[in-house]
């Protein structure tokens, strides 16, 4: 009876693997084994579930990562047009390029005279060599040189050669006639029959806006032929151009009577050049709109290792020959001369602006002396100056410094002192010498650095010439071989 109660209390029945022939201990042992098997099965089941859950977790994680990447990409999209910011940057660069092209195209346009009239001409890029140009025109029509703006109306294919010349040769002759130059001087030659050129449009720098047309009779075309100098009346006068029908070719250019030139404003341009040497030096030129003048200035500045600091060249108001203009800069700048006179011969007339240190961006301005009216303004940024300095140092070449320091180190102290003394008085291509105070106690490394900064790509040539002058010709020849 007790056994039955015990079994019942444990809920052991025959259906639960109870065998009446086995005693209680054996039943307990069997039951224990069965429970262990159940525990193992449960563990294995749990393990399978965990594996499955982990796999599902990884899948979810990957999906989340994919969603995050999509979200990241989405966050880089513009809300307005859905394009990626990277595409916007590309578009922005393209727009900036277009704006630069537009600026180049319009930089010489006058707000009084409007846009330069190209008369529907086909723009042609000439073959260029120094100041000489060639246009190979394949058909009839109106063509404009993209470099000088001169235009030719031709009736058949023709080759036209022309060169920009200086007015200096003819200045006295023009002055005796009471005229002064008002545009570039072209020396034009036609390869075949000159009569195929029906008309030529010569550029000038006169601002005609508001000018009484009665004064147009004072604008002439200078022409030099076998008979001598002649002053022809143009067929037509308009802003930026005079037209000459059935022209004869020789040196030709636009001139204006001196007595009324003060009444006629000029289209001018401002050019700035920069060099980092013994501080920061800028050359500011105030010039008429004339390509030969611009080219001459650029060549001279390049020889002196000045870099063109690209700024909008167009003056805000018209300029007048003989008038004086004031150059303004930051307070710490040394400016000499502070006044510039607008002239037809500005090649050697410029204002030098010197600053020992440049801590911030700054403005350069040009004002009329009489009324202090703003004529021109440009902002100079530190970043663009650093870029110009890097370009200048790259132009030197990677080996020049090594060559200099190797040979300077081999000089005995006596010869090194002679080298520095001669270098302090050496003139090269109109470049002033390195100041004596900088060279007096300079060692080889300092001397090398001063040569590279002051003379740029010509540093080795300067070193060779100085060594020759102090009779160290053998060392000069060695350096020359390494060039």
């Amino acid at each position: 009876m007790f056994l039955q109660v015990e079994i019942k209390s444990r809920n052991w029945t025959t259906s639960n693997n109870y065998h009446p022939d086995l005693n209680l201990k054996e039943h307990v042992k069997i039951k224990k084994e069965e429970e262990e098997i159940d525990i193992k099965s449960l563990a294995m089941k749990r393990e399978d579930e965990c594996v499955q859950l982990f796999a599902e977790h990884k899948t979810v994680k990957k999906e989340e990562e994919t969603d995050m990447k999509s979200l990241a990409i989405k966050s880089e999209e513009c809300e307005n047009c859905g394009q990626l910011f990277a595409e916007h940057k590309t578009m922005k660069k393209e727009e900036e390029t277009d704006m630069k092209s537009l600026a180049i195209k319009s930089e010489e346009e006058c707000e009084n005279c409007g846009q330069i009239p190209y008369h529907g001409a086909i723009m042609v890029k000439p073959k260029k060599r120094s100041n000489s140009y060639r246009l190979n025109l394949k058909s009839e029509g109106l063509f404009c040189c993209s470099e000088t703006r001169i235009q030719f109306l031709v009736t058949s294919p023709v080759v036209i050669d022309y060169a920009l010349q200086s007015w200096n040769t003819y200045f006295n002759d023009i002055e005796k006639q009471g005229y002064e130059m008002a545009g570039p001087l072209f020396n034009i030659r036609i390869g075949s029959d000159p009569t195929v050129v029906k008309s030529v449009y010569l550029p000038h720098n006169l601002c005609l806006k508001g000018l009484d047309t009665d004064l147009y009779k004072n604008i002439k075309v200078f022409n030099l032929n076998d008979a001598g100098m002649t002053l022809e009346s143009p067929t037509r006068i308009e802003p930026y151009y005079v037209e000459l029908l059935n022209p004869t070719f020789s040196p030709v250019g636009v001139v204006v009577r001196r007595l009324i030139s003060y009444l006629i404003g000029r289209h001018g341009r401002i050019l700035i050049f920069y060099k980092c040497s013994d501080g920061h030096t800028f050359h500011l030129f105030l010039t008429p709109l004339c390509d030969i003048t611009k080219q001459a200035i650029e060549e001279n500045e390049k020889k002196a290792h000045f870099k063109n600091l690209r700024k909008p060249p167009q003056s805000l108001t018209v300029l007048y020959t003989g008038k004086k203009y004031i150059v303004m800069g930051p307070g710490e700048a040394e400016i000499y001369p502070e006044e510039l006179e607008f002239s037809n011969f500005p090649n050697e007339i410029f204002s030098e602006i010197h600053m020992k240190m440049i801590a911030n961006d700054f403005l350069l301005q040009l004002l009329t002396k009489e009324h202090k009216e703003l004529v021109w303004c440009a902002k100079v940024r530190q970043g663009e100056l650093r870029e110009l300095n890097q370009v200048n140092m790259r132009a030197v070449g990677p080996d020049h410094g090594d060559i200099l320091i190797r040979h300077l180190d081999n000089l005995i102290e006596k010869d090194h002192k002679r080298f520095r003394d001669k270098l302090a008085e050496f003139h090269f291509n109109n470049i002033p010498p390195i100041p004596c105070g900088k060279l007096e106690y300079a060692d080889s490394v300092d001397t090398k650095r001063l040569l590279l900064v002051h003379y740029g790509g010509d540093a080795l040539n300067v070193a060779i010439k100085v060594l020759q002058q102090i009779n160290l010709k053998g060392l000069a020849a060695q350096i020359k071989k390494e060039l």
Side-chain angles (χ1 to χ4, degrees):
M1 183 66 178
F2 175 79
L3 181 59
Q4 291 177 349
V5 172
E6 186 69 26
I7 291 173
K8 187 175 182 180
S9 66
R10 290 180 180 266
N11 199 25
W12 289 350
T13 62
T14 55
S15 61
N16 198 20
N17 296 327
Y18 173 70
H19 300 279
D21 297 334
L22 299 178
N23 58 30
L24 181 59
K25 289 183 179 180
E26 289 173 340
H27 273 290
V28 171
K29 182 179 178 182
I30 291 171
K31 187 61 178 176
K32 188 175 181 182
E33 288 175 355
E34 290 174 349
E35 288 177 351
E36 287 176 354
I37 291 171
D38 291 339
I39 291 172
K40 287 180 180 180
S41 299
L42 181 61
M44 291 176 67
K45 183 178 180 182
R46 290 283 178 86
E47 185 176 349
D48 291 339
E49 290 175 353
C50 288
V51 170
Q52 184 178 356
L53 286 172
F54 183 71
E56 291 174 357
H57 177 71
K58 288 177 71 177
T59 302
V60 170
K61 188 176 181 182
K62 285 183 180 179
E63 290 174 353
E64 289 176 351
E65 289 175 353
T66 302
D67 291 340
M68 289 298 291
K69 287 179 181 178
S70 300
L71 185 59
I73 293 171
K74 181 77 175 175
S75 68
E76 293 179 358
E77 292 179 352
C78 173
E79 292 180 358
N80 296 323
C81 64
Q83 289 178 310
L84 295 180
F85 287 136
E87 294 174 3
H88 268 295
K89 289 178 181 178
T90 302
M91 291 173 64
K92 188 177 180 182
K93 287 181 180 178
E94 291 174 353
E95 288 173 359
E96 288 174 353
T97 303
D98 291 340
M99 289 300 292
K100 287 178 181 177
S101 301
L102 183 61
I104 292 169
K105 183 178 178 181
S106 63
E107 68 182 12
E108 292 173 354
E109 293 176 358
C110 171
E111 62 179 14
N112 294 324
C113 297
Q115 295 184 348
I116 298 174
Y118 291 111
H119 312 101
I122 299 170
M123 198 68 64
V124 181
K125 184 175 178 62
K127 290 184 178 180
K128 181 181 177 183
R129 185 175 182 181
S130 185
N131 289 330
S132 298
Y133 303 84
R134 167 170 285 191
L135 287 178
N136 189 0
L137 306 179
K138 305 290 187 180
S139 65
E140 65 176 347
L142 180 62
F143 299 89
C144 179
C145 171
S146 62
E147 296 285 331
T148 62
R149 291 194 294 114
I150 190 171
Q151 298 181 29
F152 297 95
L153 178 63
V154 300
T155 57
S156 63
V158 65
V159 175
I160 303 176
D161 292 297
Y162 53 98
L164 285 168
Q165 289 191 338
S166 171
W167 282 101
N168 292 357
T169 306
Y170 313 105
F171 176 75
N172 291 333
D173 294 330
I174 296 171
E175 193 176 44
K176 286 177 184 177
Q177 297 292 329
Y179 283 81
E180 63 182 42
M181 60 287 300
L185 181 65
F186 295 92
N187 190 1
I188 304 171
R189 299 183 302 277
I190 307 300
S192 56
D193 181 7
T195 61
V196 303
V197 180
K198 185 176 179 59
S199 179
V200 61
Y201 292 82
L202 298 170
H204 65 77
N205 55 41
L206 302 172
C207 184
L208 302 180
K209 182 69 173 179
L211 186 68
D212 190 339
T213 54
D214 289 341
L215 295 176
Y216 281 14
K217 62 185 179 182
N218 295 288
I219 301 171
K220 303 289 185 181
V221 174
F222 166 85
N223 200 329
L224 188 69
N225 50 39
D226 295 337
M229 186 190 81
T230 62
L231 296 175
E232 297 183 46
S233 295
T235 308
R236 185 158 60 100
I237 298 173
E238 62 181 13
Y240 301 103
Y241 285 102
V242 301
E243 182 187 7
L244 201 60
L245 279 173
N246 303 316
T248 57
F249 290 112
S250 62
V252 289
V254 182
V255 294
V256 62
R257 192 180 294 276
R258 184 183 292 275
L259 287 176
I260 62 103
S261 64
Y262 71 94
L263 297 173
I264 305 177
R266 304 292 185 104
H267 298 138
R269 59 157 65 103
I270 293 85
L271 303 174
I272 312 177
F273 299 86
Y274 166 74
K275 182 169 78 170
C276 179
S277 176
D278 189 26
H280 302 269
T281 305
F282 302 84
H283 288 172
L284 187 148
F285 291 82
L286 177 61
T287 78
L289 189 60
C290 178
D291 294 294
I292 185 65
T293 300
K294 180 174 180 285
Q295 290 177 15
I297 291 171
E298 288 175 343
E299 288 174 5
N300 290 338
E301 291 298 292
K302 186 176 180 180
K303 288 178 182 177
H305 299 289
F306 276 77
K307 296 289 183 181
N308 192 342
L309 187 60
R310 184 169 176 77
K311 294 296 176 183
Q314 180 64 44
S315 58
L316 300 175
T317 63
V318 294
L319 306 173
Y320 293 87
T321 53
K323 293 282 186 180
K324 292 188 176 181
Y325 299 86
I326 300 172
V327 180
M328 302 285 290
E332 64 271 21
E334 299 174 10
I335 303 175
Y336 183 82
E338 291 185 349
E339 295 180 4
L340 287 176
E341 182 177 327
F342 185 63
S343 166
N344 283 307
F345 294 98
N347 297 34
E348 301 299 329
I349 302 173
F350 60 87
S351 181
E352 183 173 273
I353 302 134
H354 182 76
M355 302 169 67
K356 291 190 177 296
M357 297 288 292
I358 297 179
N360 299 295
D361 300 346
F362 63 92
L363 291 177
L364 289 177
Q365 296 177 316
L366 202 63
L367 310 175
T368 59
K369 182 181 180 181
E370 189 175 2
H371 300 294
K372 302 298 184 293
E373 181 184 4
L374 183 65
V375 172
W376 174 86
C377 181
K379 188 170 188 177
V380 179
R381 296 174 175 81
Q382 289 180 292
E384 61 188 337
L385 299 183
R386 282 195 296 270
E387 177 62 25
L388 282 178
N389 288 331
Q390 290 170 5
V391 170
N392 189 47
M393 292 306 295
R394 287 197 295 269
V396 170
D399 300 327
H400 288 200
D402 295 338
I403 294 171
L404 280 170
I405 195 66
R406 183 166 64 251
H407 291 289
L408 289 173
D409 277 343
N410 289 333
L411 289 175
I412 61 175
E413 180 56 35
K414 179 182 176 182
D415 289 338
H416 196 278
K417 189 175 186 299
R418 289 170 58 217
F419 180 83
R420 298 196 308 271
D421 288 344
K422 180 59 67 175
L423 187 60
E425 59 187 38
F426 182 77
H427 287 78
F428 179 81
N429 286 346
N430 297 322
I431 303 174
I434 299 173
C436 182
K438 289 191 168 188
L439 287 165
E440 187 174 3
Y441 300 107
D443 58 16
S444 299
V445 175
D446 294 332
T447 306
K448 175 207 75 170
R449 181 181 57 80
L450 289 168
L451 277 165
L452 292 176
V453 170
H454 198 74
Y455 295 105
D458 289 318
L460 282 179
N461 290 325
V462 170
I464 289 168
K465 292 182 182 297
V466 171
L467 289 169
Q468 289 172 340
Q469 291 188 12
I470 62 174
N471 293 320
L472 293 176
K473 297 180 180 179
L475 182 57
Q478 290 179 33
I479 296 176
K480 201 168 184 177
K481 287 180 181 179
E482 296 184 41
L483 277 175

